[in-house]
Amino acid sequence: YIFFCVCNVSPSFSADLIPPGVCNLLNPSTIYANNEVDLDEVEIYGFDYDYTLALYSNTLDTMIYNTARDFLVKHYKYPEGISKYDYIPNFAARGLHYDIQKVSVFMGLCLLSQMTLLAAANDYFNSNDIEYDPGHLYKDVSDAIGMVHIKGYMYKWIMQDLEKYILRGDETYAVLHRLASHGKKLFLITNSPFSFVDKGMKYMVGKDWRDLFDIVIVQADKPHFFNSCGKPFRRLDSNGDLQWDKIKSLDKGQVYKQGNLFDFLRLTGWRGSKVLYFGDHLYSDLADLMLRHGWRTGAIVPELEVETRVVNTEQYAQGLTWLQALTGLLERMQMHRDPESKKVLQDWLKEREELRAVTKNLFNPHFGSIFRTCHNPTYFSRRLCRFSDVYMASISCLLNYDLSYTFYPRRTPLQHEAPLWMDQLCTGCMKTPFLEEMAHIR
């Protein structure tokens, strides 16, 4: 009788299982901690430029994709049919693997166009029953995407229409001014050329943007900047021309090119947890700094905004609640082996798979969430936890916290531990301490 009653529970009752206030609980401007970070100890803030200080619109991804696709067809003589594949925003997701015997993993925001073009070419070849070499295709697509950067197309597009491509520049201005006004030292290490960075920063921050920074390094060639000591620093003059004087110090007001982190540490003495560096690429920007040099790291993950909106919906909350309930029922009732019980269990298994697909598709119908696959964290999520002390949707999230704030990682239960709900609620993971004095900035 009990089994019969349980079998006839419908998902509509899952709304009654949801704790009050769960929907719209997460704030997209929250900063999440993987490790404990006391901002009071942080004296020096470092930044990447592209996709960190400067966030770009989806229009840029479309332009990169279209240009690389046409280059693939016209210069590498790939089939004309590939030209019919338009860019699909939000198709690809970071953390995807491409198997060419040696697996390649896409971890940077700048690689979304490359992932989509690879998928388009693969689809064309498979749909037309054309044999091809995945490794050769990967190299050609990588070269085509690289050509967009090497030939400076991306830089030219952005510089010609900053308003079209750069997002939320006023928030970048607010963050940098706030840090500088509190006596924090600021530095910039970017792979982009100075003329490009200068124009973008003037647009976002103002013509005197360099006054905010103690050190500016361009064309750094990351990640080699962080793990090789081969390239010396070179200074650029006011016209952007390369100078050949030996660099004995890194001075405010100057612009430096190339270099390496070992000389950077020797010349500045900036070491350990007093340095917090922000970047979007987990490998190129953050991995070496955390694993080899002891800096604090902050990952910029714009996808958090979209995923937070999904998690805050009633549809997701109800779907996930019922999914968990079904999993519990399957676990408890699986010992019933009579034919009728087996039929019910099969129905539950089928419904569970359908619910998994539904909740996945709420994030991305092709690949789901970039953070979780079913019960497990994704590869991207595991790398994010490994290489970043804190992560957030954009650097503007810093505006919501006092500069003496301490970030504490939440305690997530292991499989053999009970979920201590009050423990999680009390660690601040559900709310963001928005400061009244910051409200006018937002």
Side-chain angles (χ1 to χ4, degrees):
Y1 175 74
I2 294 175
F3 190 75
F4 175 79
C5 290
V6 170
C7 295
N8 285 277
V9 174
S10 72
S12 61
F13 285 93
S14 63
D16 299 328
L17 304 176
I18 301 174
V22 165
C23 297
N24 296 313
L25 190 62
L26 298 182
N27 192 303
S29 293
T30 299
I31 294 178
Y32 299 95
N34 294 318
N35 298 305
E36 187 171 320
V37 177
D38 182 358
L39 291 185
D40 206 29
E41 296 180 354
V42 178
E43 303 172 8
I44 304 141
Y45 286 77
F47 301 92
D48 180 30
Y49 178 72
D50 295 298
Y51 301 98
T52 300
L53 288 178
L55 295 179
Y56 299 123
S57 66
N58 285 338
T59 307
L60 180 62
D61 294 324
T62 303
M63 292 288 286
I64 294 172
Y65 172 90
N66 289 342
T67 305
R69 179 199 59 194
D70 295 344
F71 186 85
L72 203 63
V73 171
K74 294 177 182 177
H75 293 271
Y76 285 2
K77 306 304 179 183
Y78 272 66
E80 285 284 346
I82 295 176
S83 297
K84 297 179 181 179
Y85 285 78
D86 294 326
Y87 183 70
I88 305 174
N90 304 318
F91 165 77
R94 283 201 281 175
L96 293 181
H97 291 55
Y98 185 76
D99 190 356
I100 47 173
Q101 294 174 347
K102 178 183 177 182
V103 174
S104 294
V105 186
F106 298 95
M107 302 297 275
L109 285 165
C110 60
L111 299 176
L112 294 177
S113 302
Q114 182 174 339
M115 291 183 250
T116 307
L117 184 54
L118 265 174
N122 272 287
D123 184 73
Y124 177 83
F125 289 137
N126 290 329
S127 299
N128 290 276
D129 197 24
I130 299 174
E131 293 185 0
Y132 66 100
D133 178 0
H136 193 195
L137 173 62
Y138 175 82
K139 183 181 184 305
D140 289 346
V141 170
S142 298
D143 290 345
I145 293 290
M147 177 275 309
V148 176
H149 298 277
I150 292 171
K151 291 185 176 292
Y153 290 124
M154 188 186 89
Y155 302 135
K156 182 178 68 174
W157 299 329
I158 295 173
M159 292 172 73
Q160 287 177 345
D161 198 341
L162 296 167
E163 188 174 352
K164 178 180 180 181
Y165 292 106
I166 294 182
L167 305 174
R168 299 159 66 168
D170 55 333
E171 295 183 349
T172 298
Y173 168 90
V175 170
L176 296 178
H177 271 266
R178 181 171 180 241
L179 293 174
S181 67
H182 281 75
K184 305 298 183 181
K185 295 184 181 297
L186 306 181
F187 68 93
L188 174 67
I189 302 178
T190 175
N191 286 349
S192 293
F194 176 70
S195 58
F196 172 71
V197 174
D198 185 50
K199 190 158 187 176
M201 290 297 286
K202 284 178 177 176
Y203 170 75
M204 293 186 291
V205 181
K207 60 184 179 66
D208 298 326
W209 69 270
R210 284 166 57 190
D211 294 344
L212 299 173
F213 285 85
D214 293 86
I215 298 174
V216 175
I217 300 169
V218 298
Q219 292 177 272
D221 191 26
K222 295 180 293 182
H224 301 297
F225 180 93
F226 294 132
N227 56 40
S228 172
C229 55
K231 293 182 179 179
F233 282 106
R234 290 286 178 250
R235 185 173 58 87
L236 302 181
D237 65 15
S238 57
N239 297 320
D241 295 327
L242 191 66
Q243 304 300 297
W244 293 93
D245 51 316
K246 184 175 181 179
I247 303 302
K248 298 180 180 179
S249 61
L250 298 174
D251 301 322
K252 186 170 184 175
Q254 300 294 326
V255 177
Y256 301 93
K257 178 181 177 180
Q258 296 179 345
N260 63 84
L261 186 66
F262 301 93
D263 284 342
F264 182 93
L265 297 174
R266 177 176 57 83
L267 295 171
T268 63
W270 294 350
R271 299 176 183 275
S273 59
K274 66 180 180 180
V275 185
L276 174 55
Y277 184 81
F278 294 91
D280 71 286
H281 199 295
L282 301 184
Y283 293 152
S284 297
D285 289 322
L286 307 181
D288 287 309
L289 293 177
M290 170 171 276
L291 298 180
R292 301 179 63 183
H293 301 289
W295 284 7
R296 294 295 199 179
T297 56
I300 303 302
V301 189
E303 297 96 331
L304 271 171
E305 290 193 6
V306 175
E307 298 228 354
T308 298
R309 286 200 296 269
V310 173
V311 171
N312 280 338
T313 62
E314 186 175 346
Q315 183 182 6
Y316 177 81
Q318 290 189 8
L320 185 63
T321 301
W322 185 240
L323 179 61
Q324 295 294 84
L326 272 177
T327 302
L329 288 171
L330 284 164
E331 188 174 37
R332 290 186 176 193
M333 301 300 181
Q334 60 182 307
M335 71 288 297
H336 296 276
R337 300 299 183 183
D338 59 279
E340 291 184 0
S341 297
K342 286 184 177 181
K343 174 63 169 58
V344 172
L345 289 168
Q346 286 300 316
D347 290 342
W348 283 349
L349 284 169
K350 181 181 178 182
E351 185 175 1
R352 182 170 177 260
E353 289 305 308
E354 291 172 350
L355 273 173
R356 278 183 166 182
V358 168
T359 53
K360 167 189 170 181
N361 292 346
L362 290 174
F363 295 100
N364 180 313
H366 308 286
F367 304 107
S369 167
I370 71 166
F371 299 104
R372 178 180 292 278
T373 172
C374 295
H375 297 296
N376 300 314
T378 60
Y379 182 82
F380 174 84
S381 189
R382 293 197 301 272
R383 297 295 87 187
L384 179 67
C385 292
R386 183 69 182 93
F387 299 142
S388 67
D389 291 295
V390 294
Y391 63 97
M392 64 212 75
S394 72
I395 62 166
S396 64
C397 297
L398 285 168
L399 296 173
N400 303 316
Y401 297 84
D402 188 90
L403 292 181
S404 61
Y405 187 86
T406 299
F407 295 101
Y408 296 98
R410 72 176 75 175
R411 179 187 177 89
T412 54
L414 300 174
Q415 290 298 314
H416 64 276
E417 293 179 321
L420 303 176
W421 295 107
M422 286 310 298
D423 176 67
Q424 296 211 17
L425 288 170
C426 292
T427 55
C429 64
M430 299 301 185
K431 295 182 180 179
T432 304
F434 289 97
L435 302 178
E436 292 296 330
E437 60 268 31
M438 293 300 136
H440 68 281
I441 296 177
R442 308 196 68 80

